[in-house]
Amino acid sequence: MIGEEFVPLSLTPMLIGVLAAVACALPGNFLVLRKQALIGDAISHVVLPGIVVAFLITGVVAAAPMMLGAAGAALVSVVMIEAIRRLGNIEPGAAMGLTFTTLFAAGVLLLEQSDTSSVHLDVEHALYGNLESLIWLDAIGWESLLDPVALAGLPPELSRVVIALLGVCAFLWLFWRQLVLSTFDESFAQAMGIATNRLGVALVMVAALAAVAAFDAVGSIIVIAMFICPPAAARLMTNRLEHQVAWSVVFAVLSAVLGYVFAGYGPLWLGFDNAVSAAGMIATVSGLILALAACFAPHRHRSGAPVV
């Protein structure tokens, strides 16, 4: 695990898992506090057909077409929700559930009917990701971290996740005060001149950016889990928002590292021959951390909003 083979075989998959988990957990804090945690689930369902259609049109798996496809799918979902709500005269929640599941099923059907397996874009990778195969073929050891030629051969998923994480951090840094005010007292934020509706849409778009960047590498399972589990567990650890964000990052990193290690070595420790899905195990570890926080965290019995 820590020998020379660690760098080419495990360093980049583990690093991509960590960065993707943190990128999803950061906006997830505000989604949880706004009682919109399932938006992460919705995003992971909606972006799939958009990503597939973008690939079928362009023939490449790149950040720009994927983002445009995800944005188009999000626009279609909004139109569908409004049409179903108005024409069917049903409640918004039911309209959202019908739309999200329909779009996800359409994405799965497109994957099954199109030849996308050659670029690691199929049903299995959409659900469980492609984490184990994101190895660094040009690396020969730790010295490769200082070799420009070897660094040029890093998996492209790593750069996409890094860009997404930087974008998330920049958004939170620029709009931290506005996000805090609109999350805890929307009326006061509006009185202060903050466009809370636009800010809410921007938060969802940033969450979608993180989801799309992570989708190809880690699949929808980790995306859904990381939007909810680390922030929810962090919420039980403290009543201060800054500390909650820090706790969520710690839990996201811990889930990614332990999940990746347990996926590869856990079955061997138990006497089995084969490893299990890294994405599934990372999501499982994040769920276990949330369960432990629910049982033993210091603020598990307290209610109310965190102190800023």
Side-chain angles (χ1 to χ4, degrees), residues 177-297:
R177 178 175 174 273
Q178 293 91 328
L179 282 170
V180 171
L181 290 176
S182 63
T183 298
F184 297 128
D185 196 336
E186 186 174 1
S187 298
F188 179 71
Q190 291 174 346
M192 294 288 292
I194 298 174
T196 56
N197 291 333
R198 293 181 182 178
L199 189 62
V201 171
L203 176 63
V204 173
M205 291 178 62
V206 169
L209 169 67
V212 171
F215 196 89
D216 177 45
V218 300
S220 62
I221 290 179
I222 290 185
V223 171
I224 296 170
M226 290 303 138
F227 272 125
I228 300 174
C229 291
R235 176 67 187 89
L236 300 173
M237 297 298 296
T238 178
N239 271 341
R240 296 194 63 87
L241 179 57
E242 295 87 350
H243 296 170
Q244 174 183 325
V245 173
W247 272 110
S248 70
V249 172
V250 171
F251 287 148
V253 173
L254 196 63
S255 298
V257 173
L258 292 182
Y260 188 85
V261 173
F262 290 160
Y265 294 91
L268 300 179
W269 295 337
L270 296 176
F272 297 99
D273 296 329
N274 299 317
V276 298
S277 167
M281 184 58 71
I282 291 172
T284 300
V285 172
S286 68
L288 291 175
I289 291 175
L290 176 57
L292 291 173
C295 293
F296 304 108

Side-chain angles (χ1 to χ4, degrees), residues 96-121:
M96 291 172 63
L98 178 61
T99 299
F100 296 151
T101 53
T102 300
L103 287 175
F104 188 75
V108 172
L109 183 61
L110 283 173
L111 285 177
E112 289 287 1
Q113 297 301 318
S114 58
D115 184 18
T116 57
S117 59
S118 60
V119 292
H120 303 296
L121 187 60

Side-chain angles (χ1 to χ4, degrees), residues 20-63:
V22 174
C24 293
L26 286 174
N29 283 282
F30 289 95
L31 295 178
V32 168
L33 291 172
R34 290 166 174 248
K35 303 187 187 307
Q36 297 176 332
L38 288 181
I39 283 183
D41 187 14
I43 290 172
S44 68
H45 282 73
V46 168
V47 300
L48 178 59
I51 291 174
V52 178
V53 171
F55 169 76
L56 294 177
I57 293 175
T58 63
V60 296
V61 178

